[in-house]
Amino acid sequence: MRFAKKRLRATAHTAVAVAMGAAALTALPTTASAAADGLSVQYRTSATGAGADQAEPWFKVKNTGTTSVQLSGVKVRYYFKADSAGATYRFACSWAVKGCANVTGTFGTLANPTATADRYLEVGFTSGAGSLAPGADTGDLQLRFFQSNWASLNQSDDYSFGASRTSYGDWTKVTAQLGGTLLWGEAPAGNGPTDPPTDPPTDPPAEGAALFDDFNYSGHTDPRISANGWNVRSNSGGPGVPGATWAPENVTFSTTGGNSIMNLETSTAGTAASTEQTEILTRATKFKNGTYAARVRFSDAPKYGPDGDRLVQTFFTINDLKAPMADDYAEYDFEYLPNGGWGEPANILYTTSWETYQPDPWVAVNQHTEARQSFSGWHDLVLTIDNSTIKYYIDGQLFGTHGAQYLPERPMSINFNQWLIDLAGQTSTTARAYDQQVDYVLHVKDQVLTPAQVTARLNAYRGAGTRFEDTVPGA
């Protein structure tokens, strides 16, 4: 947010819980195929190193039968061992000959866990993927999945993983079925790929006016940043430490895991003059109802120096306050405080919907949902606004629902910033710095998407090699 002295908080307290349901699986069928139907699956991986933060099962599915196969009826399962009991996973398609928009990925839990498998990724296809003639294959399906917090994976105990499979070859440790009939591979002992996964496949959402940015820039002076409608802030003012500067040179870009990443660094040596905060925002205030999404990495610890500063790491939308308590003000925040602040002693995440406020004396009209726990790591953040409700999602799970009283009356900008509430949390004069990272941002105008549909839309952009798109009309 851009203006904050202290907050009025709602009494609701929401803890984020992510659970994966179990899918009961029956025994492996003894007959693998009907006479005219046949499938085979080739597999390879490039994520073979220990400690990789994502698995990369790549497939080619071939029709080895004598009749044409509709890909919408094909399911491929990759079996793995969860890295912890409560681990949750996210699927992504990097590239596919059939188009990432036509590829789905869902996760399930085995009814009969083994030493090398208790979960599976089920890969499917929408009707847009078409059919395979006899002898034809899908071409590359360059897929990946990762823990929702981007923690390192241990693939060595995964049933379907083949560390030496760096080029395509037949692989029977994945299964393929057509219309519920097993045609290829062998599931882990005591399990079979006959029941649906935990979550239903998600069709890509309909097209619509959208802003998408993969933040593929060379640096804060890259002319494409301005051309694409962004402003890297340098002007003085709140929020944060009075007298601090907003340093555009501390907004940098790099490539991690094949994706371009934006980094916002905020630093201080315990004085206002040494404090440098960071912000990037759209110049246009043209975004209102619809879906807002970003993948953001929050940090609990500094990149160097002593910890303890009262830091705010954000993703939000906002318009200007025309007068104290003006009723056409709007703001919708994800705000993470790794070291507390605003009267909180430790890490806390807020989602806040604003009706209005008065800066002096401070009066605020807003609704909060909060969770007092660490959110260090990567998180998928989704905000939806329709004509009746504001909803906030974190890692695919509903986090907060706010009422119609807080709906926006005017369009807004889209912002990311990282700033210090004050200098009282850590009084040392030793230099320190904190990072907040952003993978992408997406806004789809006037469409309320589910988190799964957001992922499908993201996969479609990345599958097509799209780095930036802005078709949202001006306000």
Side-chain angles (χ1 to χ4, degrees), residues 1-2 211-215 217 225 229-235 238-239 246-248 250-253 260-266 277-283 287 291-298 312-318 331-336 378-383 412-419 435-443 468:
M1 64 166 292
R2 306 189 74 175
L211 167 71
F212 171 74
D213 202 331
D214 210 23
F215 293 116
Y217 302 110
I225 294 178
W230 295 100
N231 176 42
V232 183
R233 184 177 177 181
S234 60
N235 60 295
W246 294 87
N250 292 342
V251 177
T252 58
F253 303 88
S260 50
I261 301 295
M262 177 173 67
N263 190 80
L264 283 69
E265 178 188 289
T266 292
Q277 304 175 140
T278 43
E279 180 169 18
I280 185 169
L281 64 153
T282 61
R283 294 196 308 274
F287 308 99
T291 300
Y292 301 81
R295 182 172 295 133
V296 177
R297 184 179 183 273
F298 297 127
V312 185
Q313 301 173 339
T314 75
F315 166 45
F316 64 103
T317 69
I318 195 171
E331 179 182 343
Y332 306 94
D333 302 330
F334 288 92
E335 294 175 308
Y336 180 55
W378 285 102
H379 296 282
D380 296 310
L381 310 179
V382 176
L383 159 69
M412 302 166 289
S413 63
I414 297 174
N415 306 48
F416 298 90
N417 66 17
Q418 183 181 216
W419 50 281
D435 282 343
Q436 174 187 336
Q437 295 179 324
V438 183
D439 183 6
Y440 76 91
V441 67
L442 171 67
H443 169 69
F468 175 81

Side-chain angles (χ1 to χ4, degrees), residues 452-469:
Q453 287 176 317
V454 167
T455 298
R457 185 86 177 228
L458 172 65
N459 290 341
Y461 280 123
R462 287 184 165 163
T466 302
R467 295 293 195 176
F468 175 81
E469 175 184 87

Side-chain angles (χ1 to χ4, degrees), residues 2 149 154 158 191 224 341 473:
R2 306 189 74 175
N149 63 359
N154 175 21
D158 291 350
N191 298 279
R224 293 175 300 155

Side-chain angles (χ1 to χ4, degrees), residues 333-406:
D333 302 330
F334 288 92
E335 294 175 308
Y336 180 55
L337 283 59
N339 292 313
W342 297 323
E344 292 291 334
N347 41 32
I348 186 169
L349 178 78
Y350 292 106
T351 59
T352 311
S353 301
W354 290 79
E355 170 59 17
T356 190
Y357 74 96
Q358 173 181 288
D360 192 18
W362 180 257
V363 179
V365 181
N366 60 39
Q367 183 176 357
H368 276 84
T369 304
E370 58 199 40
R372 293 176 175 87
Q373 65 182 70
S374 173
F375 282 86
S376 182
W378 285 102
H379 296 282
D380 296 310
L381 310 179
V382 176
L383 159 69
T384 65
I385 303 173
D386 59 21
N387 291 322
S388 61
T389 308
I390 302 124
K391 293 185 178 181
Y392 297 85
Y393 297 84
I394 299 178
D395 297 329
Q397 304 300 306
L398 181 63
F399 183 83
T401 301
H402 298 168
Q405 159 183 9
Y406 305 99

Side-chain angles (χ1 to χ4, degrees), residues 308-312 339-342 344 419-422 424-426:
D309 289 288
R310 294 170 179 167
L311 191 72
V312 185
N339 292 313
W342 297 323
E344 292 291 334
W419 50 281
L420 294 174
I421 296 172
D422 53 39
Q426 170 57 265

